Amino acid sequence: MAQHFLLSAASRTTNLRAIYKAGEEAAYKTFCEMRWPETDGEAVCPCCGFDEAYKITTRRKFKCKACHQQFSVKSGTIFASRKMDFVDLLAAICIIVNASKGVSMVQLSRNLDCQYKTAFVLAHKLREAMAQEVQTGEVLEGHVEIDGAYFGGHIRPENAKADRKDRRLKEHQTGKRRVVIAMRECEGRTLPFVRKSEADGVALANENVSRMATMSADEASHWDELHMGYHVDRVNHSEIYSDHGKHTNWVESYFSRLRRMVQGQHHHVSPQYLYQYANHAGWLEDNRRTDNGTLARIVVSNAMGAPVSRNWKGYWQRAA
Ligand SMILES: [Zn+2]
């Protein structure tokens, strides 16, 4: 049997030792090169686009020679106003991309010796950087599988049987239960969404799957509507999981990863942020055969090209 990719040396192209050994100056240079690849890391003004700037080396800032605006390599990116050292930011990215089922934010804060809140916001911002590759707006093509899986809203049964409620009834539910609906191309992209009902998946398929595609779905009756727009292979999971090549195993393997991520690492995710974890798992699934150095570079360059995060900027200040 062939060696699993993650066991091969080819999967390991970066590590914490190398990042810390190279040091803060090298990490800073990496960020500059990722931010301004077209000038090999020479500063370009985010205001007017002029590519000559004075260097204020002591504060790692630049002043544009044309419009005199001061800026840094983080200005206008999701790292704006992050006070962490560049070497710690790279280390955080390394830890996160190495975790194939995600990493809990308490664990990240212990590894980096930073506050939980810092780790929480940083990890969510990095998920946004990953999501840019997942939510591209392009339609899925070829053979596309669709399925849904419910997360959250668990009600702990009472100790004594007499006190237990019927957890299937709506009045006993928490309202926090959500379904992740995922569409996945065979050997291709994964595209997840968070909704309240799995039946919403039909509308999502109409918006995000090419009319030329073939689809696969399980026996759930709401998928019947898919037949109006697509050729659909159905597989009845109560009888068989793979029927002569008809299956939804690609999308199931995505849910397997997301389930392990939520149960094994985060334990609790709020319905509000479930989409972030869904995108994270989708990104990991699509990049499961990419070496970790490339993964880190993808995250940094997406993060550097990304506009300032509106969702996470001032998150804790706002909540306070
Ligand atoms: Zn300028």
Side-chain angles (χ1 to χ4, degrees):
M1 201 180 135
Q3 187 185 35
H4 190 281
F5 173 72
L6 293 181
L7 297 178
S8 70
S11 73
R12 300 187 298 271
T13 51
T14 187
N15 60 70
L16 290 176
R17 186 180 52 202
I19 289 168
Y20 279 105
K21 208 172 170 188
E24 174 69 6
E25 201 50 46
Y28 175 61
K29 218 171 144 243
T30 304
F31 276 83
C32 288
E33 284 164 4
M34 292 290 180
R35 175 81 198 262
W36 299 299
E38 63 284 357
T39 57
D40 289 327
E42 292 301 319
V44 178
C45 175
C47 268
C48 67
F50 195 62
D51 62 359
E52 279 181 48
Y54 304 104
K55 277 183 187 167
I56 311 169
T57 13
T58 45
R59 289 189 292 139
R60 286 215 177 103
K61 283 208 167 170
F62 302 95
K63 187 174 175 182
C64 174
K65 285 189 182 178
C67 72
H68 305 294
Q69 182 76 30
Q70 282 196 18
F71 60 94
S72 77
V73 67
K74 295 175 182 176
S75 299
T77 76
I78 64 169
F79 298 122
S81 76
R82 291 285 95 198
K83 291 195 188 85
M84 282 170 94
D85 289 343
F86 287 96
V87 72
D88 288 333
L89 276 176
L90 268 194
I93 290 165
C94 180
I95 291 169
I96 288 177
V97 301
N98 278 348
S100 61
K101 279 141 201 115
V103 60
S104 92
M105 291 171 271
V106 170
Q107 204 169 318
L108 189 64
S109 79
R110 286 173 166 191
N111 277 331
L112 296 174
D113 185 25
C114 65
Q115 281 187 42
Y116 169 75
K117 292 174 175 183
T118 308
F120 179 91
V121 172
L122 177 65
H124 271 309
K125 285 185 171 182
L126 294 177
R127 286 187 192 103
E128 282 188 350
M130 296 171 189
Q132 291 174 42
E133 287 213 308
V134 177
Q135 305 285 347
T136 58
E138 287 166 55
V139 294
L140 301 176
E141 288 173 297
H143 197 116
V144 180
E145 299 177 355
I146 189 167
D147 200 8
Y150 282 86
F151 288 85
H154 174 71
I155 311 157
R156 194 163 164 242
E158 293 295 331
N159 181 27
K161 192 181 176 194
D163 301 333
R164 287 178 203 160
K165 293 170 185 156
D166 186 345
R167 294 187 284 169
R168 290 166 301 181
L169 297 178
K170 203 169 182 209
E171 65 254 38
H172 295 150
Q173 286 172 1
T174 60
K176 289 185 176 173
R177 199 158 172 73
R178 294 289 181 280
V179 61
V180 174
I181 298 163
M183 288 159 273
R184 189 170 185 197
E185 295 171 342
C186 290
E187 303 187 47
R189 285 174 54 213
T190 313
L191 187 59
F193 294 93
V194 175
R195 291 291 184 273
K196 283 190 174 171
S197 158
E198 194 180 333
D200 294 344
V202 177
L204 288 172
N206 287 332
E207 283 162 28
N208 295 289
V209 179
S210 157
R211 288 291 162 193
M212 305 297 284
T214 314
M215 296 200 70
S216 285
D218 61 22
E219 72 281 10
S221 59
H222 47 251
W223 298 133
D224 291 348
E225 274 186 51
L226 281 177
H227 290 268
M228 304 222 271
Y230 298 93
H231 174 78
V232 192
D233 284 344
R234 300 292 286 273
V235 54
N236 188 342
H237 281 170
S238 62
E239 286 167 12
I240 194 164
Y241 288 119
S242 176
D243 183 7
H244 299 89
K246 289 181 188 174
H247 60 75
T248 55
N249 292 352
W250 281 91
V251 71
E252 298 292 352
S253 92
Y254 161 77
F255 282 122
S256 161
R257 186 186 298 267
L258 181 60
R259 189 72 73 193
R260 286 159 204 228
M261 177 186 278
V262 170
Q263 289 189 343
Q265 285 293 325
H266 304 302
H267 302 179
H268 167 85
V269 299
S270 73
Q272 200 181 350
Y273 302 129
L274 181 56
Y275 76 97
Q276 291 263 62
Y277 302 99
N279 283 332
H280 186 181
W283 186 80
L284 287 168
E285 199 64 50
D286 293 353
N287 286 299
R288 69 199 178 286
R289 296 286 181 271
T290 309
D291 65 275
N292 61 357
T294 305
L295 290 180
R297 272 197 297 279
I298 294 173
V299 172
V300 178
S301 63
N302 279 0
M304 296 317 268
V308 176
S309 162
R310 246 181 248 147
N311 290 337
W312 301 101
K313 192 180 174 197
Y315 177 79
W316 291 103
Q317 288 87 336
R318 203 166 54 210

